[in-house]
Amino acid sequence: MSAPALPASVDAMLELLSSRGYLAERSLATVTYLSLRMGRPLFLEGEAGVGKTEIAKVLSAALGRKLIRLQCYEGLDVASAVYEWNSAAQMIAIRLAEAGGEVDRDQLTSDIFADRYLIKRPLLQALEPDVAGAPVLLIDELDRADEAFEAYLLEILSDFQVTIPEFGTVKAPHPPIVIITSNRTREIHDALKRRCLYHWVDYPSAERELAIVKTRLPGISQRLSQQIVRFVQALRDQDFYKSPGVAETLDWATALTELDARSLNAEVVGDTLGALLKYQDDIARMQGDALQKAIKDATNET
Amino acid sequence: MPTSINHLAPPTGGIADNIAGFARALRAAGLPVGPGAVIDAMTALEVIDIGKRADVFTTLESIFVKRHEHALIFSQAFDLFFRPAEEWKSMLDSVPLPDHAKKKPPPASRRVQEAMSQPQTHEEPKAQEQDLRLAVSDREVLQKKDFAQMSAAEIAEVARAIAKMRLPQAELKTRRHTADPRGRRIDMRKTLRQALRTEGEIINFHRLGRIEKPAPIVALLDISGSMSEYTRLFLHFLHAITDARKRVSVFLFGTRLTNVTRALRQRDPDEALASCSANVEDWAGGTRIATSLQTFNKQWARRVLGQGAIVLLISDGLEREADSKLAFEMDRLHRSCRRLIWLNPLLRYSGFEAKAQGIKTMLPHVDEFRPVHNLTSIETLISALSSPLPPHQRSAIRPAA
């Protein structure tokens, strides 16, 4: 089985993504297409829940490539991101060699620093050849890792190679498709951004969001989905600490269909508001008259 | 050789010239666009359909824009640059484009002038001993003197003293490791490599310890009219700590909030302060603490307070519109940082009482309340900043003298 070919135009890219249920804005499809064609990492920034991580998953599924995910966190280091030696196994190998008598030091060294004692972490895995083609490497929430790790990434992302002192240099035969996401909890250094194609992922328009809800929840009624999208879009215009993303819209729509809601009303919205708003202050603001008004606006058929 | 590519002329037919000219226009508008980006843009345009304007826009945007804040400038420049040639003439007449020839001289030139005009001869070595004693006692006076009552020369002296202050590092333990003979973890990789030299016999264990990093500092400095005597010195102080520590963010607020962290990163204090003031539009104007804090909480708190930051709020707290909004924003700020220290120059008056409504509203939400009006108080502050951090909790508010 051969893997699907890379899309040949922006339109083909849009089609490829939508075939997997990802309805992207044309601009996002354009940068994704460019990143594939130019072999450059794609750097996606934007609020939480707008579908930055999702695009990597969809790409890997649509292209039939392996998805390798590196979730960043504070304190992420080379041992958990790139590789580590299996020390316990090495130790046993040394002991066995000793027990067998006659230890040739050079031989021992090359034996215990061999491929089989190397524990490969996501970044090293991403450089390995794969029959289906170069994998999709998702470096998620890079803003959570600390600056030292960013500097390390610079080398990997520009040359797609890793140097292991005891072992040698591992170079990718085909560069992986790299998607980096950031929620902007910290600024990423310009040096890293310069090596990538940058794109700010925004909240979708009302029409697109409606289409997304219908694609993801095929059973939902036209009326309810329109009300949901109108309500959420109105929330985003307000000055909340954390506006709901597309992920929250989908959660909420799922919650409402589970409750068999036919239409928005104060009771059902009040009960499920936690699916949309994640801060107590924001929920508190959305009570009483404000809630009534928002529901009225959303359910007002025009 | 004079180049034919000019961003002030309408685009010619060639794509290469257009892109180079556009890159120049963006550079003139203040976007950091390097030559590498121009080459990238050319490569990218080869693979897309350049008949579609929207696609060309996105393509160029993904290459030339690396920060969300620049997106607006880019889109304006794109619309202006890529428009029909006949519209260029009228546009050029109406839009004032930046004129690099009229740029004002860099701030260092004044200092250079001063340095040049000083008499070259330094005589009177005889009176050296006496001079020294004088200097010392001068310094003592300076230590206690209120910033607001200083002359220009004294301010310069204080600024120098501030620049010399160094904050001790090492406060927060991170999750990263480094070689440390007294560390808790064993560095198996190094230990094994060492063992190979002795035919697999492990002689001693190499160890790893946690790397320690200073806690990030976020300073919010009030630059309203009532604080104007202090602002410059605080900026000197903040510049000094920005220089010494890695993770320092500085925001100025009066009626609006401005992030000046990047400006303060410049090594030369005069240059840093000058580019600070160039960024700020509301220097020595009114105060809107609540609104500024709201902007900070909404746009920046998640980005700069993430790693257990200490917040220095430098303000006199003279806010007329002290209402529940101020209390709400102070509370949110307090809850999202490790320690909130309020530095208030008004505290220098021994009979100070928190009478102003703004101060009363803000006080319950801070961990520490300190005076800052002279060198001694800044020195105390520095030693407080370098002391081990208390666990995240509300400490008793100390209205120290």
Side-chain angles (χ1 to χ4, degrees):
Chain A
M1 186 202 85
S2 71
L6 295 183
S9 70
V10 178
D11 294 295
M13 187 56 157
L14 268 171
E15 224 164 86
L16 184 81
L17 292 176
S18 70
S19 74
R20 294 281 163 167
Y22 192 98
L23 305 178
E25 301 277 346
R26 188 175 176 88
S27 54
L28 179 58
T30 308
V31 287
T32 313
Y33 167 71
L34 274 178
S35 127
L36 291 188
R37 287 300 301 266
M38 296 170 72
R40 283 295 190 88
L42 180 59
F43 191 99
L44 298 177
E45 231 173 18
E47 301 294 333
V50 290
K52 301 187 296 293
T53 303
E54 195 62 24
I55 195 160
K57 295 184 185 165
V58 170
L59 259 188
S60 94
L63 296 174
R65 308 288 184 89
K66 200 160 73 177
L67 175 69
I68 296 172
R69 177 173 181 164
L70 176 67
Q71 173 66 51
C72 298
Y73 55 87
E74 210 182 336
L76 181 65
D77 54 6
V78 173
S80 37
V82 194
Y83 70 94
E84 199 172 11
W85 287 106
N86 185 348
S87 307
Q90 283 175 323
M91 193 90 81
I92 293 168
I94 294 175
R95 286 287 163 227
L96 282 177
E98 249 180 1
E102 264 320 286
V103 180
D104 176 4
R105 212 191 286 170
D106 291 338
Q107 186 60 44
L108 188 60
T109 309
S110 63
D111 276 355
I112 77 159
F113 287 116
D115 192 51
R116 64 191 148 131
Y117 296 112
L118 196 61
I119 303 174
K120 289 166 188 155
R121 303 290 188 205
L123 288 182
L124 190 57
Q125 287 171 22
L127 299 181
E128 297 211 303
D130 194 68
V131 279
V136 175
L137 171 63
L138 168 65
I139 302 177
D140 214 9
E141 302 185 10
L142 179 62
D143 49 330
R144 284 165 177 264
D146 29 23
E147 292 93 345
F149 181 69
E150 246 174 71
Y152 190 84
L153 268 188
L154 285 180
E155 185 199 340
I156 295 188
L157 292 185
S158 47
D159 301 337
F160 296 106
Q161 65 176 35
V162 169
T163 305
I164 303 171
E166 301 92 343
F167 188 76
T169 301
V170 180
K171 189 167 168 59
H174 303 287
I177 299 167
V178 184
I179 310 250
I180 304 174
T181 74
S182 157
N183 290 331
R184 279 220 298 185
T185 58
R186 159 175 90 71
E187 293 299 337
I188 303 297
H189 200 278
D190 289 349
L192 190 102
K193 286 183 171 178
R194 227 185 53 226
R195 285 162 171 80
C196 308
L197 296 175
Y198 175 87
H199 186 68
W200 175 264
V201 187
D202 227 329
Y203 295 119
S205 62
E207 298 80 56
R208 193 166 301 278
E209 189 156 29
L210 189 61
I212 294 172
V213 170
K214 280 189 195 155
T215 316
R216 289 305 180 87
L217 301 165
I220 199 164
S221 80
Q222 170 79 9
R223 183 158 158 244
L224 181 62
S225 55
Q226 271 177 353
Q227 291 181 0
I228 287 174
V229 169
R230 233 178 280 156
F231 187 86
V232 173
Q233 294 263 335
L235 282 194
R236 287 198 194 119
D237 288 338
Q238 291 197 36
D239 201 22
F240 282 121
Y241 191 57
K242 168 75 187 83
S243 290
V246 184
E248 276 79 31
T249 311
L250 291 173
D251 280 354
W252 194 45
T254 315
L256 290 177
T257 46
E258 288 294 320
L259 293 174
D260 286 330
R262 295 287 180 77
S263 168
L264 297 187
N265 59 56
E267 194 189 349
V268 75
V269 174
D271 288 349
T272 52
L273 207 53
L276 277 183
L277 299 173
K278 308 290 169 152
Y279 282 86
Q280 178 54 35
D281 304 331
D282 291 349
I283 293 178
R285 271 182 58 191
M286 211 49 209
Q287 299 291 343
D289 292 348
L291 185 66
Q292 293 288 358
K293 188 179 173 303
I295 292 173
K296 195 162 160 279
D297 288 349
T299 52
N300 194 12
E301 311 284 344
T302 42
Chain B
M1 190 189 87
T3 169
S4 60
I5 300 165
N6 184 355
H7 72 272
L8 299 180
T12 55
I15 290 185
D17 286 358
N18 281 357
I19 295 304
F22 183 51
R24 276 166 172 254
L26 288 178
R27 242 173 261 150
L31 258 60
V33 173
V38 178
I39 297 169
D40 283 351
M42 298 297 307
T43 326
L45 287 180
E46 275 168 20
V47 299
I48 65 154
D49 174 11
I50 57 170
K52 288 208 172 87
R53 192 180 165 88
D55 288 0
V56 173
F57 178 90
T58 317
T59 303
L60 294 181
E61 188 188 28
S62 72
I63 289 161
F64 289 135
V65 176
K66 300 294 176 194
R67 308 182 146 257
H68 185 45
E69 296 87 71
H70 292 156
L72 185 67
I73 301 174
F74 174 85
S75 104
Q76 288 170 349
F78 186 86
D79 286 345
L80 276 179
F81 193 84
F82 293 105
R83 53 162 52 193
E86 62 268 26
E87 284 178 40
W88 262 86
K89 179 76 185 73
S90 55
M91 186 205 74
L92 279 179
D93 295 339
S94 59
V95 180
L97 283 157
D99 185 357
H100 294 286
K102 278 187 203 155
K103 231 179 171 180
K104 61 173 186 182
S109 66
R110 200 193 69 241
R111 287 188 302 173
V112 173
Q113 251 174 17
E114 270 179 16
M116 294 306 187
S117 63
Q118 265 170 18
Q120 293 290 312
T121 48
H122 287 286
E123 280 176 27
E124 302 149 52
K126 307 159 258 180
Q128 201 180 29
E129 207 173 314
Q130 205 179 1
D131 268 351
L132 208 64
R133 214 181 55 231
L134 247 179
V136 168
S137 66
D138 272 355
R139 210 183 136 65
E140 262 169 28
V141 175
L142 217 50
Q143 292 273 328
K144 294 273 161 62
K145 198 159 183 177
D146 198 313
F147 290 153
Q149 300 156 4
M150 286 180 179
S151 71
E154 284 170 329
I155 288 179
E157 172 74 9
V158 172
R160 263 197 299 281
I162 286 175
K164 270 189 215 137
M165 293 178 181
R166 283 286 169 266
L167 290 164
Q169 304 272 325
E171 274 155 11
L172 289 182
K173 281 191 172 170
T174 67
R175 286 167 189 273
R176 298 179 80 92
H177 292 81
T178 182
D180 174 4
R182 274 166 298 174
R184 293 184 134 203
R185 259 171 63 163
I186 292 172
D187 186 350
M188 281 309 285
R189 181 175 178 182
K190 200 167 176 191
T191 306
L192 271 179
R193 282 180 73 169
Q194 204 81 62
L196 284 174
R197 294 195 194 151
T198 50
E199 275 144 35
E201 206 61 61
I202 292 172
I203 293 176
N204 67 331
F205 284 104
H206 292 268
R207 287 175 177 276
L208 293 171
R210 298 262 203 106
I211 295 177
E212 296 193 340
K213 261 209 254 180
I217 290 182
V218 175
L220 299 167
L221 173 59
D222 188 341
I223 51 163
S224 60
S226 55
M227 291 282 292
S228 59
E229 290 147 336
Y230 299 98
T231 319
R232 209 179 154 75
L233 277 165
F234 285 139
L235 276 176
H236 268 294
F237 166 64
L238 293 173
H239 177 261
I241 61 175
T242 311
D243 208 26
R245 289 171 91 118
K246 260 198 174 158
R247 295 187 290 172
V248 179
S249 315
V250 181
F251 296 83
L252 306 183
F253 69 93
T255 52
R256 71 182 71 193
L257 186 83
T258 319
N259 184 354
V260 292
T261 310
R262 283 198 166 215
L264 278 186
R265 288 257 166 78
Q266 300 180 42
R267 267 288 157 82
D268 188 290
D270 283 350
E271 220 164 280
L273 261 59
S275 70
C276 245
S277 53
N279 282 333
V280 175
E281 289 165 26
D282 53 342
W283 205 271
T287 332
R288 275 159 61 200
I289 301 181
T291 317
S292 306
L293 286 184
Q294 186 187 24
T295 318
F296 177 80
N297 282 336
K298 201 151 179 269
Q299 295 188 353
W300 292 99
R302 274 182 283 226
R303 286 151 79 178
V304 296
L305 297 182
Q307 298 97 14
I310 302 171
V311 173
L312 301 179
L313 178 64
I314 310 174
S315 169
D316 50 15
L318 297 181
E319 160 88 316
R320 257 158 274 138
E321 301 161 11
D323 47 14
S324 58
K325 187 180 168 195
L326 180 60
F328 177 80
E329 297 299 340
M330 278 299 288
D331 183 44
R332 166 153 276 166
L333 177 65
H334 186 207
R335 280 188 284 131
S336 40
C337 65
R338 174 181 292 264
R339 195 154 64 139
L340 177 53
I341 303 175
W342 183 7
L343 308 173
N344 192 335
L346 287 184
L347 275 191
R348 71 184 183 279
Y349 303 116
S350 49
F352 176 81
E353 277 179 68
K355 272 191 194 145
Q357 192 54 44
I359 301 181
K360 269 194 204 159
T361 315
M362 288 160 75
L363 255 188
H365 302 291
V366 298
D367 295 313
E368 263 177 72
F369 192 42
R370 295 179 160 273
V372 267
H373 57 281
N374 57 22
L375 264 187
T376 317
S377 55
I378 282 201
E379 271 164 10
T380 337
L381 169 69
I382 288 184
S383 63
L385 282 181
S386 48
S387 65
L389 287 172
H392 190 92
Q393 61 177 20
R394 216 169 276 230
S395 64
I397 293 161
R398 283 175 284 166

